[in-house]
Amino acid sequence: MLFMSSTRSLADRAVSDATPSPYWLDRPDRPDPHGALTGSAHADLVVVGAGFTGLWTALLAKEREPDRDIVVVDGARVAWAASGRNGGFCSSSLTHGLPNGVARFPDEIGTLLRLGHENLAGIEDTIDRYAIDCGWENNGNLVAATADWQADELAALARMAGHYGQPAVLLGQLEMRAQVDSPAYRAGLLLPDDGGLVDPARLAWGLAAAAQSSGVRFFEQSPVTGVSDEGQRVRVTTRSGSVSARRAVLATNAFRTPLRRHRWSIAPVYNYALMTEPLSTDQLTRIGWDGRQGLSDAGAELFYYRLTEDNRILWGGPHTDYFYGGRIASRFENRPELFVQLAEEFFRTFPQLTDVSFSHAWGGVIDISSRAVNFWDVAMGGKVATSLGFSGLGVGSSRFAGQVLLDLLDGTPTERTELQLVRERPLPFPPEPARAVGVALTKHAYRSADRHDGRRNLWLRTLDRLGIGFDG
């Protein structure tokens, strides 16, 4: 009890001066805002949403067809939402991990693995070609086991990875602690080709600058109020203007989509993170981490953490909130009590860093789908395309999503559009109050699994049989 009280007191002090806003967006070099859309504009393609999906779509469209006239509109600012609030983990996976991909798309998992690695290489190539300064580090990922049952699951994952030709190195306790030193670790798994790390806001700003330099027009502070079919064209209407275009992409993430049929296809869920002050050389020496890999644990509700360019630690946790009716509001981003809990868990993992404090604490909303993977759809006779439900994996897979969106709007079948991943859509969530009850039951069930050696209760086993799952 004394230890718990001491950890709580330490956590209170460590977050007491944290700024309640996203670290990535809180910097003087943030680009100046674009003006709002006023009056009527015309374009070949209008993109709704200036997060990763919208930015990749706009830039890729320009690269495919340089003369295409493209407009991007956003209700706030570039990268303001999930794209500027995430952990900056850029995964090669298009399926939210290999086990989820094998379970859902067994007949095409080999193709999806190849396309995922090609997509990651395409991201790195774009960063190089446009000289985007975003702290890119392609160091792979580590998964830590903090319980014996998690070590067994990592061993099974290593065997699965080997079966599909994916590099994976199983680490014993001492080997894992040689990578990153925490007394909580029992084992680990190194995935050297699984992805890289990035400053997500600077990547988004760099993509926007590259698109703008290619001729893409941006309008911010322009919330979309409707999309209408006008025969050969579509019209996107905002509060103070509209855009008439031949084609439209809706990249709205967790925010209300203009396509009503998808309003139950996702659940907007808040996730939370802390950022430490820069660690000193002595503090870094205490934990090692020379490989600078992205790191998560193997729990049913996982923690994720990584080093930044200036040697801060981003610490994100499993604490998620769903608000009845799918409500989204800025007041949900600042949760002081929850930030203290996150800090407590940080110090339990790294008790040798009790002299570290946190500079930022924030929350952000993400779009969860019932299959934990994004989906695609077209509407209005093929003139409108959308992709939603990234479930926290959008930093890398958003580029692939943009490629598919453009393929769908072109109307020509490609290897990507023929994928089961693209052709099929997840089961929708039920309406309220069943949706809120279902999310609450699922959160409780995952926490129970972590407390009981990973055993999945009847509720989770039922979801497994239905092909529903949105953990992690």
Side-chain angles (χ1 to χ4, degrees), residues 133 142 175 221 223 234 312 361 431 436 461:
D133 179 15
L142 278 169
E175 294 169 311
Q221 302 295 336
V234 295
R312 300 169 185 262
R461 294 197 303 273

Side-chain angles (χ1 to χ4, degrees), residues 7 26 43 128 153 160 253 260 280 438:
T7 303
D26 184 25
D128 289 341
E153 291 208 347
M160 178 183 287
N253 194 263
R260 295 184 62 86
S280 67

Side-chain angles (χ1 to χ4, degrees), residues 52 55-56 78-79 83 90 123 126-127 132-136 198-210 395-396 398:
F52 282 131
L55 294 170
W56 278 115
V78 170
S83 296
C90 191
I123 292 172
T126 299
I127 291 170
I132 298 175
D133 179 15
C134 58
W136 174 256
V198 69
D199 179 321
R202 282 162 50 201
L203 173 58
W205 296 336
L207 293 173
V395 178
S398 54

Side-chain angles (χ1 to χ4, degrees), residues 81-356:
S83 296
R85 297 168 185 266
N86 62 82
F89 288 74
C90 191
S91 175
S92 63
S93 176
L94 302 176
T95 61
H96 215 133
L98 181 59
N100 194 48
V102 171
R104 297 183 186 279
F105 315 107
D107 295 334
E108 59 188 33
I109 187 62
T111 299
L112 291 171
L113 289 168
R114 171 177 58 81
L115 291 173
H117 288 297
E118 291 175 359
N119 181 63
L120 189 68
I123 292 172
E124 191 163 13
D125 175 68
T126 299
I127 291 170
D128 289 341
R129 284 190 293 112
Y130 290 100
I132 298 175
D133 179 15
C134 58
W136 174 256
E137 295 184 75
N138 195 353
N139 298 327
N141 287 312
L142 278 169
V143 186
T146 58
D148 290 339
W149 69 268
Q150 294 177 17
D152 294 339
E153 291 208 347
L154 290 188
L157 178 55
R159 292 191 296 270
M160 178 183 287
H163 177 76
Y164 289 100
Q166 304 301 297
V169 181
L170 196 62
L171 306 173
Q173 184 176 38
L174 294 180
E175 294 169 311
M176 180 62 194
R177 293 189 64 173
Q179 294 285 333
V180 183
D181 191 13
S182 167
Y185 297 158
R186 306 287 183 87
L189 185 67
L190 173 62
L191 303 170
D193 293 346
D194 192 48
L197 297 172
V198 69
D199 179 321
R202 282 162 50 201
L203 173 58
W205 296 336
L207 293 173
Q212 187 175 17
S213 69
S214 301
V216 175
R217 291 176 285 160
F218 282 82
F219 297 97
E220 296 180 320
Q221 302 295 336
S222 301
V224 169
T225 58
V227 178
S228 55
D229 190 341
E230 297 189 335
Q232 297 300 310
R233 302 177 71 83
V234 295
R235 183 171 296 276
V236 171
T237 304
T238 70
R239 287 180 182 172
S240 57
S242 66
V243 182
S244 173
R246 292 192 303 108
R247 298 288 185 270
V249 164
L250 306 179
T252 52
N253 194 263
F255 294 86
R256 183 176 288 271
T257 172
L259 296 181
R260 295 184 62 86
R261 68 174 181 251
H262 290 313
R263 291 183 182 177
W264 297 107
S265 297
I266 61 169
V269 173
Y270 279 82
N271 191 240
Y272 300 90
L274 304 175
M275 185 71 82
T276 72
E277 298 284 359
L279 270 63
S280 67
T281 300
D282 173 64
Q283 289 168 332
L284 281 172
T285 300
R286 297 177 209 163
I287 58 173
W289 216 339
D290 295 337
R292 299 182 61 86
Q293 304 95 337
L295 210 158
S296 64
D297 67 27
E301 288 195 310
L302 60 83
F303 291 91
Y304 57 91
Y305 37 117
R306 43 98 31 119
L307 291 169
T308 64
E309 277 186 293
D310 59 349
N311 292 324
R312 300 169 185 262
I313 296 177
L314 177 139
W315 178 262
H319 304 288
T320 56
D321 279 331
Y322 171 80
F323 297 95
Y324 190 88
R327 287 176 295 157
I328 297 174
S330 58
R331 68 181 183 276
F332 300 147
E333 298 164 8
N334 185 18
R335 301 290 305 282
E337 178 64 24
L338 194 151
F339 295 149
V340 173
Q341 291 180 42
L342 274 173
E344 287 184 277
E345 290 149 348
F346 174 89
F347 291 121
R348 291 191 189 103
T349 301
F350 295 122
Q352 65 271 55
L353 294 181
T354 55
D355 54 346
V356 167

Side-chain angles (χ1 to χ4, degrees), residues 93-97 99-101 104-105 265-267 366-375 388-394 397 421 425-427 429 446 467-472:
S93 176
L94 302 176
T95 61
H96 215 133
N100 194 48
R104 297 183 186 279
F105 315 107
S265 297
I266 61 169
I366 59 177
D367 55 339
I368 299 290
S369 82
S370 64
R371 69 180 189 180
V373 182
N374 63 302
F375 64 91
L388 300 169
F390 288 87
S391 304
L393 199 74
S397 60
L421 168 71
R425 287 182 283 281
L427 289 172
F429 292 97
Y446 285 136
I468 297 173
F470 38 94
D471 56 314

